[in-house]
Protein backbone atom coordinates (compact mmCIF):
# COMPACT_ATOMS: atom_id res chain seq x y z
CA UNK A 1 0.00 0.00 0.00
CA UNK A 2 1.31 3.45 -0.91
CA UNK A 3 0.02 6.55 0.89
CA UNK A 4 0.62 10.19 -0.03
CA UNK A 5 0.89 12.27 3.16
CA UNK A 6 0.63 16.03 2.63
CA UNK A 7 1.58 18.80 5.03
CA UNK A 8 -0.71 21.68 3.94
CA UNK A 9 1.54 24.33 5.47
CA UNK A 10 5.03 25.33 4.30
CA UNK A 11 6.97 24.45 7.46
CA UNK A 12 9.68 21.83 6.85
CA UNK A 13 9.99 21.37 10.63
CA UNK A 14 6.34 20.36 10.85
CA UNK A 15 6.76 18.04 7.87
CA UNK A 16 9.57 16.32 9.78
CA UNK A 17 7.24 15.77 12.75
CA UNK A 18 4.54 14.42 10.44
CA UNK A 19 7.01 12.12 8.72
CA UNK A 20 8.34 10.69 11.97
CA UNK A 21 4.93 9.96 13.50
CA UNK A 22 3.51 8.66 10.22
CA UNK A 23 6.34 6.14 9.92
CA UNK A 24 5.91 5.03 13.53
CA UNK A 25 2.20 4.51 12.92
CA UNK A 26 2.15 2.93 9.47
CA UNK A 27 1.97 -0.81 8.90
CA UNK A 28 5.06 -2.65 7.75
CA UNK A 29 3.65 -3.03 4.25
CA UNK A 30 2.79 0.66 3.88
CA UNK A 31 5.03 2.94 1.82
CA UNK A 32 4.78 6.66 2.58
CA UNK A 33 5.41 9.63 0.30
CA UNK A 34 5.49 12.76 2.48
CA UNK A 35 5.19 16.16 0.82
CA UNK A 36 5.07 19.81 1.93
CA UNK A 37 2.79 22.48 0.45
CA UNK A 38 4.52 24.50 -2.27
CA UNK A 39 2.90 27.74 -1.18
CA UNK A 40 0.91 29.05 1.75
CA UNK A 41 1.61 29.92 5.38
CA UNK A 42 3.89 28.71 8.17
CA UNK A 43 0.97 27.24 10.09
CA UNK A 44 -2.77 27.41 9.48
CA UNK A 45 -4.98 29.17 12.00
CA UNK A 46 -7.86 30.67 10.04
CA UNK A 47 -10.50 29.71 7.51
CA UNK A 48 -8.84 31.88 4.85
CA UNK A 49 -5.43 30.34 5.46
CA UNK A 50 -7.15 26.98 5.11
CA UNK A 51 -8.51 28.10 1.74
CA UNK A 52 -5.00 28.94 0.54
CA UNK A 53 -3.70 25.61 1.79
CA UNK A 54 -6.46 23.69 0.02
CA UNK A 55 -5.17 24.82 -3.37
CA UNK A 56 -1.62 23.75 -2.52
CA UNK A 57 -2.85 20.33 -1.38
CA UNK A 58 -4.94 19.90 -4.53
CA UNK A 59 -1.87 20.51 -6.70
CA UNK A 60 0.12 17.83 -4.86
CA UNK A 61 -2.71 15.31 -5.11
CA UNK A 62 -3.05 16.09 -8.81
CA UNK A 63 0.69 15.65 -9.34
CA UNK A 64 0.55 12.11 -7.95
CA UNK A 65 -2.91 11.02 -9.08
CA UNK A 66 -3.48 12.75 -12.42
CA UNK A 67 -1.19 10.88 -14.76
CA UNK A 68 -0.96 7.28 -15.95
CA UNK A 69 -2.81 5.27 -13.26
CA UNK A 70 -0.44 2.35 -13.77
CA UNK A 71 2.63 4.47 -13.03
CA UNK A 72 3.57 5.04 -9.38
CA UNK A 73 0.02 4.36 -8.21
CA UNK A 74 -1.09 6.04 -4.98
CA UNK A 75 -3.59 4.03 -2.90
CA UNK A 76 -4.68 6.78 -0.50
CA UNK A 77 -4.04 10.36 0.59
CA UNK A 78 -3.69 11.80 4.09
CA UNK A 79 -4.25 15.56 4.49
CA UNK A 80 -2.05 16.17 7.52
CA UNK A 81 -3.32 19.39 9.08
CA UNK A 82 -5.99 19.61 11.73
CA UNK A 83 -8.99 21.40 10.29
CA UNK A 84 -8.66 19.35 7.08
CA UNK A 85 -7.97 22.15 4.55
CA UNK A 86 -9.92 21.55 1.35
CA UNK A 87 -11.98 18.71 2.74
CA UNK A 88 -14.35 17.22 1.77
CA UNK A 89 -13.92 18.79 -1.70
CA UNK A 90 -10.56 17.05 -2.21
CA UNK A 91 -12.36 13.70 -2.18
CA UNK A 92 -13.74 14.68 -5.60
CA UNK A 93 -10.27 14.96 -7.16
CA UNK A 94 -9.21 11.31 -7.26
CA UNK A 95 -10.60 7.79 -7.16
CA UNK A 96 -8.57 6.82 -4.07
CA UNK A 97 -9.54 7.59 -0.46
CA UNK A 98 -8.59 11.08 0.74
CA UNK A 99 -8.71 11.32 4.53
CA UNK A 100 -8.11 14.37 6.72
CA UNK A 101 -6.52 13.98 10.13
CA UNK A 102 -9.44 15.82 11.74
CA UNK A 103 -12.05 13.41 10.46
CA UNK A 104 -9.77 10.50 11.37
CA UNK A 105 -9.14 11.81 14.89
CA UNK A 106 -12.81 12.57 15.50
CA UNK A 107 -13.80 9.09 14.35
CA UNK A 108 -11.15 7.54 16.59
CA UNK A 109 -12.31 9.62 19.56
CA UNK A 110 -15.98 8.80 18.94
CA UNK A 111 -15.14 5.10 19.00
CA UNK A 112 -13.44 5.38 22.38
CA UNK A 113 -15.70 7.64 24.40
CA UNK A 114 -18.89 9.68 24.47
CA UNK A 115 -17.38 13.15 24.84
CA UNK A 116 -14.02 14.41 23.62
CA UNK A 117 -11.90 17.53 24.02
CA UNK A 118 -9.50 19.07 21.53
CA UNK A 119 -6.20 20.55 22.68
CA UNK A 120 -5.06 23.26 20.25
CA UNK A 121 -1.90 25.30 19.79
CA UNK A 122 -3.53 28.76 19.71
CA UNK A 123 -6.69 30.59 20.74
CA UNK A 124 -7.14 31.96 17.21
CA UNK A 125 -7.47 28.50 15.74
CA UNK A 126 -10.36 27.34 17.93
CA UNK A 127 -13.19 28.92 15.91
CA UNK A 128 -12.14 27.01 12.80
CA UNK A 129 -11.80 23.77 14.77
CA UNK A 130 -15.27 24.21 16.21
CA UNK A 131 -16.63 24.65 12.68
CA UNK A 132 -14.98 21.37 11.70
CA UNK A 133 -16.54 19.46 14.58
CA UNK A 134 -19.96 20.84 13.70
CA UNK A 135 -19.41 19.92 10.05
CA UNK A 136 -18.93 16.29 11.05
CA UNK A 137 -22.12 16.37 13.13
CA UNK A 138 -20.30 15.81 16.41
CA UNK A 139 -20.92 19.15 18.10
CA UNK A 140 -23.00 17.55 20.85
CA UNK A 141 -20.07 15.30 21.76
CA UNK A 142 -17.50 18.08 22.02
CA UNK A 143 -16.69 18.65 25.68
CA UNK A 144 -14.31 21.55 25.08
CA UNK A 145 -11.53 23.06 23.01
CA UNK A 146 -8.65 24.17 25.19
CA UNK A 147 -5.70 26.04 23.74
CA UNK A 148 -2.34 27.64 24.39
CA UNK A 149 -2.87 31.37 24.89
CA UNK A 150 0.75 32.46 24.59
CA UNK A 151 2.84 33.47 21.60
CA UNK A 152 4.69 30.62 19.94
CA UNK A 153 8.47 30.72 19.69
CA UNK A 154 8.38 28.57 16.57
CA UNK A 155 5.90 26.16 15.05
CA UNK A 156 8.39 23.30 15.03
CA UNK A 157 9.15 23.57 18.77
CA UNK A 158 5.63 23.83 20.22
CA UNK A 159 5.90 20.42 21.88
CA UNK A 160 9.15 21.22 23.64
CA UNK A 161 8.18 24.78 24.56
CA UNK A 162 4.71 23.99 25.87
CA UNK A 163 4.76 20.33 26.88
CA UNK A 164 3.72 21.02 30.48
CA UNK A 165 1.04 23.49 29.35
CA UNK A 166 -0.39 20.95 26.91
CA UNK A 167 -0.38 18.29 29.62
CA UNK A 168 -2.17 20.63 32.03
CA UNK A 169 -4.77 21.57 29.40
CA UNK A 170 -5.41 17.88 28.71
CA UNK A 171 -5.92 17.12 32.39
CA UNK A 172 -8.25 20.12 32.76
CA UNK A 173 -10.30 18.84 29.82
CA UNK A 174 -10.77 15.56 31.66
CA UNK A 175 -11.25 16.85 35.21
CA UNK A 176 -13.20 20.05 34.51
CA UNK A 177 -14.89 19.48 31.14
CA UNK A 178 -15.75 15.79 31.41
CA UNK A 179 -13.80 14.59 28.38
CA UNK A 180 -13.67 10.82 27.88
CA UNK A 181 -11.05 11.23 25.13
CA UNK A 182 -8.45 13.91 24.44
CA UNK A 183 -7.37 14.83 20.89
CA UNK A 184 -3.98 16.51 20.56
CA UNK A 185 -4.79 18.61 17.53
CA UNK A 186 -2.50 19.61 14.74
CA UNK A 187 0.61 18.32 13.02
CA UNK A 188 2.92 20.39 15.29
CA UNK A 189 1.85 18.05 18.12
CA UNK A 190 2.52 14.87 16.14
CA UNK A 191 4.07 12.23 18.38
CA UNK A 192 3.33 14.03 21.66
CA UNK A 193 0.66 11.49 22.63
CA UNK A 194 3.40 8.84 22.80
CA UNK A 195 5.47 11.00 25.15
CA UNK A 196 2.49 11.66 27.43
CA UNK A 197 1.40 8.03 27.58
CA UNK A 198 0.06 7.23 31.04
CA UNK A 199 0.04 10.87 32.17
CA UNK A 200 -3.51 11.63 30.98
CA UNK A 201 -6.20 9.37 32.50
CA UNK A 202 -8.23 8.86 29.31
CA UNK A 203 -7.43 7.73 25.74
CA UNK A 204 -5.34 10.29 23.84
CA UNK A 205 -5.64 10.55 20.05
CA UNK A 206 -2.82 11.77 17.83
CA UNK A 207 -4.19 13.19 14.57
CA UNK A 208 -1.31 11.98 12.38
CA UNK A 209 -1.41 8.47 13.79
CA UNK A 210 -5.20 8.36 13.40
CA UNK A 211 -4.95 9.67 9.86
CA UNK A 212 -2.46 7.02 8.78
CA UNK A 213 -4.23 4.10 10.42
CA UNK A 214 -7.71 5.18 9.30
CA UNK A 215 -6.54 5.67 5.73
CA UNK A 216 -4.91 2.24 5.72
CA UNK A 217 -8.20 0.77 6.94
CA UNK A 218 -10.33 2.55 4.34
CA UNK A 219 -7.97 1.56 1.52
CA UNK A 220 -8.09 -2.06 2.71
CA UNK A 221 -11.90 -2.02 2.64
CA UNK A 222 -11.76 -1.64 -1.16
CA UNK A 223 -15.15 0.06 -1.11
CA UNK A 224 -14.86 1.62 -4.56
CA UNK A 225 -15.24 5.29 -5.43
CA UNK A 226 -17.91 7.82 -6.34
CA UNK A 227 -19.45 7.34 -9.78
CA UNK A 228 -22.72 9.05 -8.85
CA UNK A 229 -23.96 11.44 -6.20
CA UNK A 230 -22.53 14.51 -4.52
CA UNK A 231 -18.87 13.48 -4.88
CA UNK A 232 -19.02 12.37 -8.52
CA UNK A 233 -17.14 14.80 -10.80
CA UNK A 234 -19.15 16.69 -13.45
CA UNK A 235 -17.75 17.39 -16.90
CA UNK A 236 -17.60 21.03 -17.97
CA UNK A 237 -15.35 23.47 -19.79
CA UNK A 238 -12.41 24.81 -17.77
CA UNK A 239 -9.30 26.89 -18.36
CA UNK A 240 -6.27 28.27 -16.56
CA UNK A 241 -5.66 25.17 -14.43
CA UNK A 242 -2.23 23.66 -14.01
CA UNK A 243 -1.41 20.74 -16.27
CA UNK A 244 -1.45 18.32 -13.33
CA UNK A 245 -4.78 19.56 -11.99
CA UNK A 246 -6.43 19.42 -15.40
CA UNK A 247 -5.09 15.88 -15.91
CA UNK A 248 -6.37 14.77 -12.51
CA UNK A 249 -9.87 16.07 -13.24
CA UNK A 250 -9.86 14.38 -16.63
CA UNK A 251 -8.72 11.10 -15.08
CA UNK A 252 -11.37 11.01 -12.36
CA UNK A 253 -14.11 12.02 -14.81
CA UNK A 254 -13.04 9.24 -17.15
CA UNK A 255 -12.84 6.67 -14.37
CA UNK A 256 -16.29 7.63 -13.11
CA UNK A 257 -17.82 7.60 -16.59
CA UNK A 258 -19.27 11.01 -15.83
CA UNK A 259 -21.74 12.28 -18.41
CA UNK A 260 -22.43 15.70 -19.85
CA UNK A 261 -25.42 16.61 -21.99
CA UNK A 262 -26.52 12.98 -21.82
CA UNK A 263 -23.27 11.59 -23.24
CA UNK A 264 -21.21 9.28 -21.07
CA UNK A 265 -17.46 9.58 -20.91
CA UNK A 266 -16.13 6.07 -21.58
CA UNK A 267 -14.29 4.62 -18.60
CA UNK A 268 -10.57 4.37 -19.14
CA UNK A 269 -10.52 6.93 -21.97
Amino acid sequence: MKLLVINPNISADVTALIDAEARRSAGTDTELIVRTAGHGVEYIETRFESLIAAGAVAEIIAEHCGGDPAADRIDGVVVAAFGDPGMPALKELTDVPVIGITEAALCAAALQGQRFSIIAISDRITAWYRDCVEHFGLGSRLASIRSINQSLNGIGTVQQDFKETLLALSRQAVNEDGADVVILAGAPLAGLARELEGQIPVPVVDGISAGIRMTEAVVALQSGFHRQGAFAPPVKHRRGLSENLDAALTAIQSAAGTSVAGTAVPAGK
Side-chain angles (χ1 to χ4, degrees):
M1 181 186 303
K2 184 181 292 186
L3 301 184
L4 174 63
V5 183
I6 304 172
N7 173 14
N9 68 52
I10 61 171
S11 170
D13 289 342
V14 172
T15 301
L17 291 170
I18 292 169
D19 186 275
E21 181 58 26
R23 295 187 189 282
R24 286 191 291 260
S25 302
T28 56
D29 294 331
T30 299
E31 177 184 349
L32 301 177
I33 299 173
V34 182
R35 294 285 307 275
T36 307
H39 64 269
V41 297
E42 179 184 13
Y43 62 99
I44 306 163
E45 286 187 288
T46 69
R47 301 172 186 88
F48 183 71
E49 290 173 348
S50 173
L51 182 64
I52 296 170
V57 173
E59 292 291 350
I60 295 174
I61 293 175
E63 177 186 345
H64 288 270
C65 299
D68 182 355
D72 201 28
R73 177 68 176 176
I74 297 296
D75 298 299
V77 179
V78 180
V79 180
F82 213 83
D84 295 352
M87 300 289 280
L90 292 171
K91 296 179 188 289
E92 302 176 24
L93 186 54
T94 179
D95 60 352
V96 303
V98 181
I99 307 294
I101 65 170
T102 308
E103 59 184 353
L106 293 177
C107 287
L111 289 171
Q112 296 182 80
Q114 183 61 30
R115 304 185 75 219
F116 58 85
S117 286
I118 296 172
I119 308 303
I121 65 172
S122 77
D123 289 339
R124 182 66 180 86
I125 213 167
T126 60
W128 175 37
Y129 283 1
R130 195 173 299 276
D131 284 352
C132 293
V133 175
E134 293 290 345
H135 167 77
F136 288 110
L138 293 171
S140 64
R141 298 178 68 172
L142 178 63
S144 62
I145 302 178
R146 288 185 174 265
S147 58
I148 298 170
N149 62 2
Q150 303 174 53
S151 298
L152 305 182
N153 298 321
I155 194 61
T157 61
V158 174
Q159 293 186 40
Q160 297 95 309
D161 297 340
F162 294 100
K163 183 176 179 180
E164 293 304 316
T165 298
L166 293 163
L167 178 58
L169 291 171
S170 299
R171 288 172 171 168
Q172 288 172 347
V174 176
N175 297 327
E176 300 176 24
D177 306 329
D180 303 312
V181 183
V182 167
I183 299 171
L184 296 178
L189 302 186
L192 182 60
R194 296 178 187 271
E195 290 191 36
L196 299 182
E197 185 176 1
Q199 299 182 57
I200 300 169
V202 299
V204 181
V205 174
D206 181 298
I208 299 299
S209 180
I212 295 294
R213 299 301 284 177
M214 289 285 186
T215 305
E216 288 177 326
V218 173
V219 170
L221 286 173
Q222 297 182 326
S223 304
F225 65 100
H226 300 277
R227 293 177 176 85
Q228 292 186 16
F231 288 92
V235 174
K236 60 186 66 174
H237 295 295
R238 54 183 181 258
R239 68 172 174 230
L241 303 183
S242 69
E243 182 178 345
N244 285 332
L245 197 55
D246 190 70
L249 288 169
T250 298
I252 185 60
Q253 289 162 351
S254 178
T258 309
S259 62
V260 59
T263 302
V265 177
K269 299 294 185 181

